[in-house]
């Protein structure tokens, strides 16, 4: 919908005269063309009325004409000529955009026309009763009709009405007397009323034009979708006889089999599917048992020519179970699209290495299969100095070269990855025996320590490596990464450029986690947990629309405990439900004090899958007395991993309560379009990793734009997380993201400071630097660094 910078008030029309890049981006040139066209179409009638009025004035004046009358008449004819000339040049042209300069030309012409009639009033109204009555009638009609006729061009209306009004005021003061002074004031009042009506008409025109544009846009989208469906419909009905021969052969069915190079005459179901699809086991089992099946996804063929089909079928009847009837859908395009999204989300665009998600998935698979190996956590030394002194473009080249050198040390099924920034990792699954691959670690350090040439620059970075054993003693992926990180930080602590293997001596962090678990229950009783709130604002207006509630814990001995520590500890010791209820209750209480703002609360998968979680949410909302629509529950894609059907059922139950549901960190977890089709989330939160890499990774822009367009098509709002600079803000605005959240807007605030912030007081606020981005229940967010400031 077309909008202007001051959309919604009486100043709306004047924004058409502002040629700022923001206004031009909002299609003001097209709006100016539409408004100017409305005025120009009336020009012949308006100019004819002006000529007729002038003729009557001349007749009433009588002969002989004075020089003043002659000059006035010539001036009017000249202005009328200019108006008709503009109409003639405009006539028949399909002008799509008009510049601010052209708009100003219209204002000048209106001012000239108004000045001519204003001069007539100022000169001849004081001279005689005959002309007074005639001019009074003409001028009154001109101010009303002309002001409204010029409403699409508000400055033209102001110029026209203002100059005529000035002439009337001069005439009244020339005549003199308090009555005429009062008449002048009344005329000014009437002129202002006319201008007010003109401004309102212009505003209504803009809103109507915007509504029509939006309807046209939606109609075009619907038309495109319908056309796309008609052109790419992939469903084909089929039916077999007792021998499996296809007896119903629609053109679409023939096209499907032609696409895989198979004539229908040679097809026998289900044997053909067994021969051409490696994934037909479930279908063959259902066929043998005479059981219906639905939406089975099969790959037909191999290589670049492979197609993906989705098949549903059932026996024709119990009397003829050997005959089957069903439908085949060609989902190849959707499958490739999902693969493309998955590839974009699993590969680091800058270096081409697998990203954190790919590494974690490979490590998780190795753990489940009891594979042995080593995790090498690699951190570059002095990389920040290169970025600060040589610039980020040089830093990017250094990272690419580091990735190239790291690939040289890959053996067998090893997986190198870039975790983010200057953090890399190597999952060694080809290491033999229990001895740590220290030789390989030292070789990596030596290779990365040699000079890197970027243009004429000769740069040195170096690296430190932490090694952690992957075997059956590792209980979780989180433990594996923590061990590697502890070894890495010890390598940095003792002088960098070293490789350190995790051992018992590095167990301080593990002991701290144990202390945290022991302190958790006492912390609840002592009331040591509290919430901070990070605002979310409208991406266009920067107006606060919501806040995210973030749990904080200050312990008298342990100090400030990061969420990445105590949330995972709460899950391990079974206290996550109590912690979640506390967060929900405090968030609901805060919502009552934050009028008009939605309060978002993170929900762990363990909470969501709790049998009475829905009733707990309903009970808390009723107890606090807050409207369900004021609360938004944020879940991550990992809730779908174990039991997607049950998770979707619980989400629908929460939706029935009236609360909003958001999908957090979208794009970095186990993204699937199927989940979005199965449950209409209110909000998609785009992960901060994509937002913060907009400046260095082109794929991030493509991913965000794809997510935003998909969300808009599904009727979901989007929130860009981690907006920390003007570049990120401008980028997500350009992609029409709905809301932004990040340090550019505000750091997390206490409730009192949040209220002050909302009131415009930005000094002396209680904020924190705790990294609230860690969600340990999602394996994809484990960081290769110790908990610390964000």
């Amino acid at each position: 919908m077309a909008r202007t910078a001051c959309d919604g008030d009486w100043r709306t029309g004047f924004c058409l005269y502002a040629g700022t890049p923001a206004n031009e981006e909002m299609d003001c040139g097209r709006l100016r063309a539409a408004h100017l066209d409305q005025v120009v179409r009336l020009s012949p009638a308006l100019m004819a009325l002006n000529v007729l009025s002038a003729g009557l004035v001349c007749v009433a004046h009588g002969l002989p004409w004075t020089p003043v009358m002659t000059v006035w008449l010539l001036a009017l004819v000249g202005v009328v000529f200019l108006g008709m000339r503009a109409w003639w040049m405009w006539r028949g042209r399909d002008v799509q955009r008009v510049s601010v300069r052209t708009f100003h030309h219209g204002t000048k012409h209106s001012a000239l026309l108004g000045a001519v009639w204003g001069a007539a009033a100022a000169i001849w109204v004081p001279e005689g009763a005959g002309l007074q009555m005639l001019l009074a009638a003409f001028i009154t009609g001109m101010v009303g009709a002309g002001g409204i006729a010029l409403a699409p061009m508000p400055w033209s209306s102001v110029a026209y009405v203002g100059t005529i009004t000035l002439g009337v005021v001069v005439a009244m003061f020339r005549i003199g007397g308090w009555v005429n002074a009062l008449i002048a004031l009344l005329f000014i009042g009437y002129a202002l009323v006319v201008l007010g009506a003109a401004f309102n008409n212009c505003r209504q025109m803009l809103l109507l034009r915007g509504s029509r544009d939006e309807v046209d846009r939606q109609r075009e989208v619907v038309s495109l979708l319908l056309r796309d469906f008609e052109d790419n419909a992939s469903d084909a009905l089929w039916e077999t006889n007792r021998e499996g021969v296809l007896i119903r052969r629609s053109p679409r069915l023939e096209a499907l089999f032609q696409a895989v190079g198979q004539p229908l005459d040679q097809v026998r179901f289900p044997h053909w599917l067994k021969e051409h699809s490696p994934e037909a086991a479930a279908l063959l089992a259902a066929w043998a048992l005479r059981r219906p099946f639905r939406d089975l996804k099969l790959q037909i063929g191999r290589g670049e020519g492979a197609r993906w089909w989705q098949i549903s079928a059932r026996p024709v009847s119990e009397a003829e179970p050997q005959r089957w009837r069903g439908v085949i859908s060609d989902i190849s395009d959707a499958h490739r699209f999902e693969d493309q999204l998955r590839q974009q989300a699993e590969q680091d665009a800058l270096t081409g290495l697998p990203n954190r998600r790919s590494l974690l998935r490979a490590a998780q698979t190795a753990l489940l299969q009891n594979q042995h190996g080593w995790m090498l956590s690699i951190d570059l030394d002095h990389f920040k100095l290169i970025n600060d002194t040589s610039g980020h473009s040089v830093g990017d080249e250094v990272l690419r070269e580091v990735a190239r050198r790291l690939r040289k040390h890959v053996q067998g099924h090893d997986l190198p990855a870039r975790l983010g920034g200057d953090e890399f990792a190597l999952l060694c699954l080809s290491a033999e025996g229990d001895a740590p691959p220290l030789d390989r670690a030292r070789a990596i350090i030596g290779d990365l320590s040699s000079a890197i040439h970027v243009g004429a620059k000769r740069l040195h970075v170096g690296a430190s490596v932490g090694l952690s054993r992957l075997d059956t003693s590792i209980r979780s992926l989180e433990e594996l990464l923590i061990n590697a990180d502890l070894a890495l930080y010890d390598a940095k602590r003792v002088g960098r450029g070293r490789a350190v293997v995790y051992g018992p001596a590095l167990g301080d962090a593990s002991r701290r986690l144990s202390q945290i678990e022991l302190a958790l229950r006492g912390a609840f009783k002592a009331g040591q947990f509290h919430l901070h709130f990070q605002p979310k604002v409208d991406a266009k207006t920067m107006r606060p629309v919501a806040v995210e509630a973030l749990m904080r814990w200050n312990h008298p001995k342990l100090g400030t405990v990061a969420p990445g520590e105590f949330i995972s500890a709460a899950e391990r010791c079974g206290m996550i439900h109590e912690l979640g209820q506390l967060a929900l209750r405090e968030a609901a209480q805060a919502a009552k004090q934050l009028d008009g703002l939605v309060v978002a609360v993170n929900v762990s998968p363990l909470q969501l899958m709790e049998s009475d979680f829905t009733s707990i949410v309903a009970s808390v909302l009723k107890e606090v007395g807050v409207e369900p629509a004021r609360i938004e529950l944020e879940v991550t894609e990992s809730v779908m991993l174990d039991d997607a059907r049950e998770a979707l059922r619980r989400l629908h139950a929460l939706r029935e309560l009236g609360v909003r549901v958001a999908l957090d960190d979208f794009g970095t977890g186990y993204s699937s379009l199927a989940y979005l089709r199965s449950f209409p989330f209110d909000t998609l939160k785009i992960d901060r990793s994509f937002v913060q890499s907009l400046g260095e990774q082109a794929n991030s822009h493509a991913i965000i734009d794809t997510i935003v367009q998909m969300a808009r098509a599904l009727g979901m709002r989007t929130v860009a997380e981690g907006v920390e600079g003007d570049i990120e803000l401008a980028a997500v605005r350009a992609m029409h993201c709905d809301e932004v959240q990040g340090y550019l807007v505000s750091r997390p605030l206490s409730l009192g400071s949040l209220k002050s912030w909302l009131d415009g007081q930005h000094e002396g606020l209680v904020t924190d630097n705790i990294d609230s981005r860690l969600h340990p229940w999602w394996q994809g967010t484990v960081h290769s660094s110790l908990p610390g400031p964000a």
Side-chain angles (χ1 to χ4, degrees):
M1 180 174 177
R3 298 179 64 87
T4 62
C6 50
D7 186 25
D9 58 23
W10 65 272
R11 300 169 297 167
T12 300
F14 292 97
C15 293
L16 297 174
Y17 291 86
T20 62
N23 275 5
E24 294 310 309
E25 184 178 342
M26 287 181 274
D27 219 5
C28 282
R30 185 176 54 81
L31 292 175
R32 283 192 289 267
H35 283 221
L36 184 58
D37 183 68
Q38 291 184 17
V39 174
V40 171
R41 288 185 180 185
L42 295 175
S43 292
L46 293 175
M47 295 303 103
L49 289 174
N50 275 272
V51 171
L52 180 60
S53 300
L56 291 176
V57 169
C58 292
V59 171
H61 182 276
L63 295 174
W65 290 352
T66 64
V68 173
M69 172 62 74
T70 303
V71 171
W72 178 84
L73 187 59
L74 290 175
L76 179 66
V77 171
V79 174
V80 169
F81 171 76
L82 291 177
M84 292 305 296
R85 177 176 176 270
W87 169 79
W88 184 263
M89 294 177 64
W90 184 274
R91 181 179 58 87
R93 295 175 58 192
D94 183 18
V95 180
Q96 297 297 321
R97 303 183 68 85
V98 165
S99 67
V100 174
R101 180 180 179 185
T102 303
F103 235 46
H104 283 306
H105 285 327
T107 302
K108 294 175 183 176
H109 182 267
S110 300
L112 288 174
L113 186 58
V116 169
W117 285 107
I123 295 171
W124 292 307
V125 166
E127 292 186 357
L131 280 178
Q132 280 183 352
M133 294 300 294
L134 185 64
L135 286 173
F138 286 168
I139 288 174
T140 301
M142 288 177 180
V143 167
I148 297 302
L150 292 172
M153 302 171 64
W155 274 124
S156 295
S157 185
V158 170
Y160 180 74
V161 174
T163 50
I164 293 179
T165 302
L166 178 61
V168 172
V169 170
V170 171
M172 293 300 102
F173 277 93
R174 284 187 62 196
I175 297 173
W178 66 270
V179 174
N180 291 314
L182 182 59
I183 291 174
L185 291 176
L186 287 173
F187 196 90
I188 292 174
Y190 292 143
L192 292 176
V193 170
V194 170
L195 289 178
F199 297 161
N200 185 64
N201 285 351
C202 183
R203 175 177 172 273
Q204 294 300 325
M205 291 176 191
L206 282 173
L207 293 177
L208 179 60
R209 173 68 60 176
S211 299
R212 288 177 178 173
D213 288 347
E214 180 67 13
V215 170
D216 290 342
R217 188 192 66 80
Q218 292 179 356
R219 185 182 294 113
E220 182 179 356
V221 170
V222 171
S223 176
L224 287 174
L225 291 175
L226 289 174
R227 191 180 307 120
D228 181 69
F229 178 79
E230 293 171 355
D231 293 342
N232 301 288
S234 55
D235 295 351
L237 295 174
W238 56 272
E239 184 177 337
T240 69
N241 59 16
R242 295 173 179 270
E243 289 74 32
V245 177
L246 293 170
I247 57 176
R248 174 176 290 183
R249 303 182 180 185
S250 66
R252 182 59 193 158
L253 185 65
E254 293 182 355
L256 285 177
F257 279 90
Q258 287 176 1
V260 295
Q262 183 68 51
L264 283 180
D265 295 337
Q266 301 176 12
V267 175
R268 299 289 186 276
F269 272 10
H271 309 293
W272 186 88
L273 294 173
K274 178 181 178 181
E275 296 171 356
H276 291 80
S277 175
E279 303 164 345
L283 183 147
L284 295 173
W287 197 291
L289 296 173
R290 305 292 193 267
R291 292 180 178 175
F293 54 86
R294 183 177 181 82
D295 296 337
L296 290 183
K297 185 176 178 180
L298 302 180
Q299 177 182 339
I300 306 298
R302 299 180 182 276
E304 295 183 358
R307 308 292 295 179
W308 282 264
W309 289 357
Q310 188 168 272
I311 303 182
S312 301
R314 62 182 305 114
V316 172
S317 66
E318 294 183 0
E320 295 182 293
Q322 297 88 356
R323 293 181 58 195
W324 286 73
R325 180 184 296 142
V327 61
I328 298 176
S329 302
D330 190 333
I331 59 171
S332 301
D333 292 340
H335 178 84
R336 293 190 180 98
F337 180 68
E338 287 194 24
D339 275 354
Q340 182 181 3
L341 283 181
R342 191 178 300 112
Q343 182 178 2
Q344 290 176 340
E346 292 182 352
Q347 187 179 60
D348 177 60
L350 178 65
T351 62
L353 290 176
N355 61 11
R356 178 186 295 275
R357 177 185 178 185
S358 298
L359 177 76
L360 297 177
R361 178 172 292 180
Q364 182 68 29
T365 301
L367 279 176
L368 293 175
Q369 296 177 355
N370 293 325
Q371 288 184 272
H372 290 192
W374 289 84
M375 175 68 76
L376 275 64
S377 184
I378 306 167
D379 191 76
L380 302 184
D381 299 332
H382 314 300
F383 179 73
K384 185 177 184 300
L385 180 62
I386 291 177
N387 262 345
D388 293 342
T389 57
S390 300
H392 289 281
S393 59
V394 174
D396 290 347
E397 291 299 324
V398 170
L399 293 175
R400 292 189 185 96
E401 177 61 19
V402 168
R404 188 188 67 80
R405 296 184 183 186
L406 186 58
R407 287 190 184 94
K408 295 192 302 184
H409 298 274
V410 173
Q411 301 176 5
H413 298 289
D414 294 351
L415 181 71
R418 182 191 177 205
L419 305 183
D422 60 350
E423 300 176 14
F424 293 80
L426 179 62
L427 180 60
C428 296
L429 299 177
S430 59
E432 298 180 358
D434 296 331
L438 281 172
D439 290 340
R440 292 180 66 185
R442 296 188 184 105
I444 291 173
I445 293 173
D447 200 2
L448 298 183
S449 299
S450 60
I452 296 177
H453 297 273
V454 180
K457 295 180 180 290
R458 179 184 173 90
L459 305 170
H460 294 270
V461 284
S464 301
V465 180
L467 296 89
S468 175
R469 176 69 176 165
L470 171 64
D471 56 24
T472 54
S473 66
I474 296 295
R475 293 170 296 179
S476 67
L477 183 61
E478 180 184 357
E479 181 182 355
L480 174 68
L481 293 178
I482 288 177
N483 291 348
D485 286 345
L486 289 173
L488 172 64
Y489 293 122
D490 191 64
K492 285 182 168 291
R493 181 183 61 81
V494 297
R496 302 178 183 269
R498 299 170 182 267
V500 173
V501 180
Y502 174 82
L506 300 177
D508 290 343
S510 298
R511 285 189 290 274
R512 174 175 169 83
L513 291 177
S514 299
Q515 293 172 347
I516 290 172
E517 292 181 9
L518 293 174
L520 267 173
R521 195 164 298 279
F524 274 96
K525 296 179 180 179
Q528 295 172 359
F529 289 98
H530 61 280
L531 291 181
H532 276 191
F533 302 86
Q534 187 170 31
K536 307 176 190 176
V537 299
D538 185 274
K540 293 182 179 178
T541 64
M542 299 301 285
R543 179 179 62 82
V545 294
V547 295
E548 182 179 3
L550 304 168
M551 184 64 75
R552 297 292 185 255
W553 180 18
N554 294 318
H555 190 272
K557 293 183 179 180
L558 297 175
T560 298
V561 185
E565 296 178 298
F566 68 77
I567 292 178
S568 58
E571 290 190 74
R572 285 194 300 271
C573 65
M575 294 186 64
I576 189 63
H577 308 298
E578 299 175 50
L579 187 64
Q581 289 183 40
L582 175 65
L584 179 62
R585 180 170 285 102
E586 289 194 11
Q589 292 170 349
K592 292 191 67 176
Q593 305 178 49
L594 301 172
D595 292 338
L597 297 185
V598 174
V599 179
V601 187
N602 289 286
V603 176
S604 122
L606 293 179
Q607 281 180 270
L608 181 66
M609 302 308 289
E610 189 179 10
S611 60
D612 59 346
F613 179 67
T614 304
S615 60
I616 289 174
V617 174
S619 175
V620 169
L621 296 180
K622 182 177 180 181
E623 174 188 336
V624 176
V626 66
E627 296 179 6
R630 298 282 310 286
I631 300 298
E632 185 173 74
L633 302 180
E634 295 187 3
V635 299
T636 58
E637 297 165 34
S638 59
V639 300
M640 306 295 182
L641 289 182
D642 296 329
D643 190 348
R645 178 176 299 178
E646 179 63 19
L648 290 171
R649 188 185 69 80
R650 293 177 182 271
L651 290 175
H652 280 289
L654 291 170
R655 172 64 65 76
E656 291 177 359
L657 291 179
V659 299
R660 299 168 58 86
V661 182
L663 186 58
D664 199 7
D665 300 319
F666 183 75
T668 61
Y670 302 87
S671 305
S672 174
L673 299 179
Y675 299 150
L676 300 184
R677 292 194 298 265
S678 302
F679 183 80
F681 291 94
D682 297 288
T683 307
L684 291 185
K685 299 190 71 177
I686 303 170
D687 187 71
R688 68 188 64 241
S689 62
F690 298 128
V691 176
Q692 294 178 346
S693 61
L694 280 171
E696 65 176 17
Q697 299 182 12
N699 278 1
S700 295
H701 188 285
I703 292 173
I704 294 176
D705 189 54
T706 299
I707 293 173
V708 170
Q709 295 300 325
M710 177 178 62
R712 294 183 70 183
L714 295 174
M716 304 176 188
R717 293 182 63 81
T718 49
V719 179
E721 298 183 284
V723 177
E724 298 182 3
D726 293 331
I727 295 177
E728 292 97 329
L729 177 61
V732 298
R733 272 179 171 172
M735 289 181 277
H736 305 293
C737 190
D738 298 303
E739 300 172 21
V740 296
Q741 176 183 0
Y743 287 171
L744 180 65
V745 177
S746 172
R747 290 180 178 273
L749 304 165
S750 65
L751 182 58
S753 294
L754 174 63
K755 293 178 180 178
S756 299
W757 185 86
L758 291 171
D759 291 335
Q761 303 174 20
H762 296 168
E763 298 294 333
L765 302 180
V766 179
T767 65
D768 66 52
N769 291 324
I770 298 175
D771 189 350
S772 55
R773 293 170 284 186
L774 299 179
H775 300 289
W777 57 81
W778 173 43
Q779 296 168 346
T781 54
V782 178
H783 285 231
S784 59
S785 60
L786 286 173

